[in-house]
């Protein structure tokens, strides 16, 4: 549907892998990243999803750190991020076909947690607790 995922392997710490995708929407950029902090293992990989909408590239990292957004594209950003998430599930099956891949999604605040939970239940995501935080999780084979 969109352009391909970009895969980055951290040069300083070989265990970190990031798959990302950028999409331009109405003069803004939606960046969705899936980060595997533990390195690619033979049996299990955990991918943490994060997304940010920004207008200026120099603000991107600050927005990620603060869990904020300068997005002005409304629901279109959420809809596009959902489509990228579903596309990433297929990408995992093709590119990182180990025994188990897990996608984990946190909400930065209670409103986002509620929205993500309601929107992603129908796609097989289940609410669980990971590291003492409510987390949506799905196992991808």
């Amino acid at each position: 549907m969109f352009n391909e995922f970009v895969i980055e392997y951290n040069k300083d710490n070989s265990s970190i892998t990031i798959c990302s995708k950028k999409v331009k929407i109405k003069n803004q950029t939606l960046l969705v990243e899936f980060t595997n902090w533990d390195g690619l293992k033979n049996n299990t990989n955990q991918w943490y999803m994060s997304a940010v909408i920004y207008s200026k590239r120099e603000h991107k990292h600050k927005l990620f750190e603060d869990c904020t957004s300068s997005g002005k594209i409304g629901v279109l950003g959420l809809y596009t991020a959902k489509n990228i998430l579903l596309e990433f599930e297929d990408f995992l099956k093709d590119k990182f076909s180990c025994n188990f891949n897990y996608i984990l999604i946190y909400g930065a605040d209670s409103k986002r947690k509620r929205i993500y939970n309601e929107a992603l239940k129908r796609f097989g995501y289940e609410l669980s607790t990971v590291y003492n935080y409510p987390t949506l999780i799905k196992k991808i084979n």
Side-chain angles (χ1 to χ4, degrees):
M1 180 178 172
F2 303 110
N3 53 336
E4 293 296 317
F5 284 95
V6 175
I7 303 172
E8 300 173 43
Y9 300 97
N10 190 313
K11 294 174 184 155
D12 298 329
N13 182 348
S14 62
S15 65
I16 299 174
T17 305
I18 299 173
C19 297
S20 63
K21 186 172 284 206
K22 280 190 222 181
V23 178
K24 284 283 205 184
I25 304 170
K26 297 182 180 179
N27 294 326
Q28 293 211 293
T29 303
L30 167 65
L31 171 63
V32 179
E33 290 184 347
F34 298 90
T35 305
N36 181 339
W37 297 100
D38 297 327
L40 300 174
K41 300 177 182 175
N42 292 331
N43 295 325
T44 304
N45 292 313
Q46 292 182 346
W47 298 90
Y48 297 86
M49 180 183 176
S50 55
V52 67
I53 299 168
Y54 59 93
S55 298
K56 296 183 179 182
R57 188 173 39 227
E58 61 266 17
H59 297 156
K60 169 178 64 174
H61 296 294
K62 176 116 175 80
L63 293 169
F64 259 131
E65 290 171 9
D66 295 344
C67 296
T68 59
S69 177
S70 66
K72 297 172 181 67
I73 56 176
V75 177
L76 187 56
L78 285 173
Y79 177 77
T80 305
K82 178 205 58 145
N83 287 338
I84 291 172
L85 171 62
L86 297 176
E87 194 176 317
F88 184 71
E89 291 178 12
D90 292 332
F91 176 78
L92 277 180
K93 292 174 190 174
D94 293 338
K95 189 71 175 175
F96 300 104
S97 58
C98 64
N99 291 342
F100 301 108
N101 282 292
Y102 292 89
I103 298 176
L104 294 94
I105 302 171
Y106 297 107
D109 54 44
S110 59
K111 181 179 176 181
R112 289 180 180 140
K113 288 175 190 172
R114 184 177 42 79
I115 291 170
Y116 299 163
N117 187 34
E118 290 300 316
L120 296 176
K121 277 193 295 191
R122 69 187 80 149
F123 299 106
Y125 285 82
E126 296 179 3
L127 191 58
S128 184
T129 302
V130 177
Y131 304 119
N132 295 324
Y133 290 102
T135 306
L136 288 167
I137 188 167
K138 181 176 181 181
K139 183 168 111 176
I140 310 292
N141 292 351

